Amino acid sequence: MTGSPLLDRPGPPPATAPALEVVGLTKAFPGVQALEDVSLSVGAGEVHALVGENGAGKSTLIKILAGVYQADAGSVRLGGQPVTIRSVHEAHRLGIAVIYQEPALVSALTVAENILLGREPLARLRGLVDRQALLAEAQRILDRLQSPLDPRAPVAELGISWRQVVEIAKALSLDARLIVMDEPTAALTLQETQRLFHIVRELKAQGRAVLFISHTLEEVFEIADRVTVLRDGRLVTTREVSGLTRADLVRFMIGRAVDESRNRARPVVGLEVLRVSRLRRQGVLDDVTFTLHAGEVLGIAGLVGSGRTELARALFGADSVDSGEIWIGGRRFDPRSPRDALRAGIGLVPEDRKREGLVELFSTAANISLANLGAISRFGGWIDRPRERALAMRLIARLSLQPPSPDWPVRTLSGGNQQKAVLARWLARDVKALLVDEPTRGVDVGAKDEIYQLMDELARAGMAILMISSYLPEILQMSDRILVMQEGRIVLELPRSEATEERLMEAATGGLT
């Protein structure tokens, strides 16, 4: 297998100066002090984690390094030399590569064209791209990631996890001395995450510097040498990871302790709300059968591509099925569209909130009211803005959504608050069954705990919740009963008391027969 030029090229020579050093970095926006006097350094051959709640200033710091923003005060040094990063192009020229949480790809182009965008190999004829060289170079990078992606595949046809792989390959194709990874594993499977960590360790061994941002603290302890904690735009501490516990890190991040081990076991579940019998869709779902009861959180585990998300979409009427039966409250349910699901009392919090859960150009209030237009409309469909605002204010207060303004553009909210806005949409309806796909993906530890508390509260009030998650600790913590899917089939069903991460992963990877 041939490696990419980045990984095969010898690393930079040892240096006494840090690969990256920021001193007194400060940045303000109208009404918001995003960063205030933040300093940190990343050594050559170091993986340095940057953690904090959403709104702590991590994204602002990253965008300053990427050339998207310019700092109001402070300095940046690379290899001991002061630099001014005025643009994304200049950041690339200086050897800074950034992998963002949300893939920034051109959907109309192929995988190869996205990986080498702006740096395409040229043919002898001026202005023409050497297509053969382009594909060969992209294939070498994908091979190094052990990815089965076809470099000729259109990005528009890829799911979020594969888009993230393309984003990683794109960053690795740059000859970077500093690689910034902003939630790179948020949409990856366990196997893909371990492949990425293998690449990170190779980069570290070659003397590259890696700044690694993650809300998944297990990843910090697995991959990082040191960790810097930000809170409210300020530096809290920088510590050696080996000298910290998870509880220490959580306390530094949010200023209080969170009991992540508390038992969320609920009272005995109620009547059957949803029954699925032998549901099939060619190539996606195969003989799926299960029940869901009032007051129950039913967890569905499995790898990306196992059919979990496709099952939720089929139940919500977003995708058709070839055969099988669905029953809601004892009545046959044959969803033709999401409108049918709404009428039957089914809600969906989708896997990709930005692309499928939110209208980013709308306000927070408009997004919350999307599934409740009948309740806020008058005179043949005209939206009553005071009603919409009152509905949003009530739910914003209930979920402690920040900022607490119904007029705030939803695209400017943090990931955790965007997820709360999607959840708020369903709290105003008489939802019998709520389908929640990856409820805390890209959400900080404080907002994650709040979402868990909300789901627990809803289940205790009698709502039936089907929760899909790639994060096994979340499945084990929140579920009353657990199903594991593999290649479109349910291959294991367990009560939480009998489930372990090892047993669930064995089933998800085909280890059970």
Side-chain angles (χ1 to χ4, degrees), residues 263-279:
N263 187 354
R264 295 185 184 272
R266 284 161 285 274
V268 177
V269 297
L271 298 175
E272 179 182 292
V273 172
L274 173 69
R275 174 177 291 272
V276 176
S277 178
R278 309 198 71 177
L279 209 63

Side-chain angles (χ1 to χ4, degrees), residues 89-244:
H89 177 74
E90 193 160 5
H92 288 170
R93 184 182 61 79
L94 291 167
I96 300 174
V98 181
I99 301 169
Y100 290 104
Q101 176 183 351
E102 301 292 339
L105 303 175
V106 182
S107 295
L109 300 181
T110 66
V111 168
E113 289 165 341
N114 270 279
I115 291 173
L116 295 166
L117 186 63
R119 295 168 287 114
E120 300 88 346
L122 299 179
R124 291 182 179 179
L125 294 176
R126 176 180 289 183
L128 296 180
V129 173
D130 186 334
R131 303 293 302 179
Q132 186 173 356
L134 177 77
L135 291 171
E137 175 66 8
Q139 186 65 63
R140 281 194 292 269
I141 298 167
L142 292 169
D143 285 346
R144 200 69 183 97
L145 287 170
Q146 299 179 17
S147 171
L149 276 175
D150 184 343
R152 296 165 296 185
V155 163
E157 298 178 2
L158 301 181
I160 187 170
S161 63
W162 293 117
R163 286 171 180 251
Q164 189 69 314
V165 172
V166 176
E167 192 70 64
I168 292 166
K170 179 179 176 181
L172 293 181
S173 70
L174 297 167
D175 186 10
R177 66 169 110 180
L178 171 67
I179 299 177
V180 182
M181 297 185 172
D182 183 12
E183 292 283 347
T185 66
L188 301 186
T189 66
L190 179 62
Q191 290 89 340
E192 289 166 343
T193 297
Q194 290 306 314
R195 288 179 203 145
L196 173 64
F197 285 177
H198 176 71
I199 298 297
V200 170
R201 292 185 181 103
E202 286 191 18
L203 292 167
K204 174 183 173 179
Q206 294 174 10
R208 312 285 173 176
V210 178
L211 185 60
F212 187 88
I213 295 89
S214 178
H215 287 311
T216 305
L217 300 188
E218 289 85 355
E219 295 179 353
V220 172
F221 285 97
E222 180 175 351
I223 198 68
D225 302 299
R226 289 191 298 156
V227 58
T228 289
V229 182
L230 299 182
R231 187 167 72 232
D232 298 328
R234 296 177 177 86
L235 175 69
V236 175
T237 189
T238 295
R239 300 287 184 95
E240 296 285 336
V241 170
S242 59
L244 290 173

Side-chain angles (χ1 to χ4, degrees), residues 400-455:
S400 301
L401 203 150
Q402 297 294 329
S405 168
D407 304 318
W408 207 269
V410 78
R411 69 178 181 275
T412 65
L413 303 185
S414 69
N417 284 296
Q418 287 182 342
Q419 191 74 331
K420 288 181 185 179
V422 178
L423 282 163
R425 180 181 303 158
W426 303 111
L427 301 188
R429 292 189 65 91
D430 182 22
V431 174
K432 299 180 179 66
L434 182 62
L435 317 175
V436 187
D437 196 352
E438 302 290 359
T440 62
R441 172 172 286 166
V443 171
D444 66 62
V445 66
K448 182 180 295 186
D449 188 61
E450 292 174 355
I451 290 172
Y452 289 163
Q453 290 187 44
L454 175 63
M455 291 173 60

Side-chain angles (χ1 to χ4, degrees), residues 11 13 20 36 43-44 48 66 81 88 158 222 231 276 296 305 319 356 358 365 371 384 397 400 416 424 453 483 512:
L20 168 71
E36 185 172 349
H48 193 117
Q81 300 299 313
V88 174
L158 301 181
E222 180 175 351
R231 187 167 72 232
V276 176
E296 178 184 37
D319 291 340
E356 300 175 351
L358 297 168
D384 186 324
S400 301
Q453 290 187 44
L483 306 178
L512 296 180

Side-chain angles (χ1 to χ4, degrees), residues 281-297:
R281 185 181 181 196
Q282 181 66 36
V284 176
L285 300 173
D286 185 7
D287 199 29
V288 174
T289 299
F290 67 91
T291 59
L292 175 64
H293 298 81
E296 178 184 37
V297 176

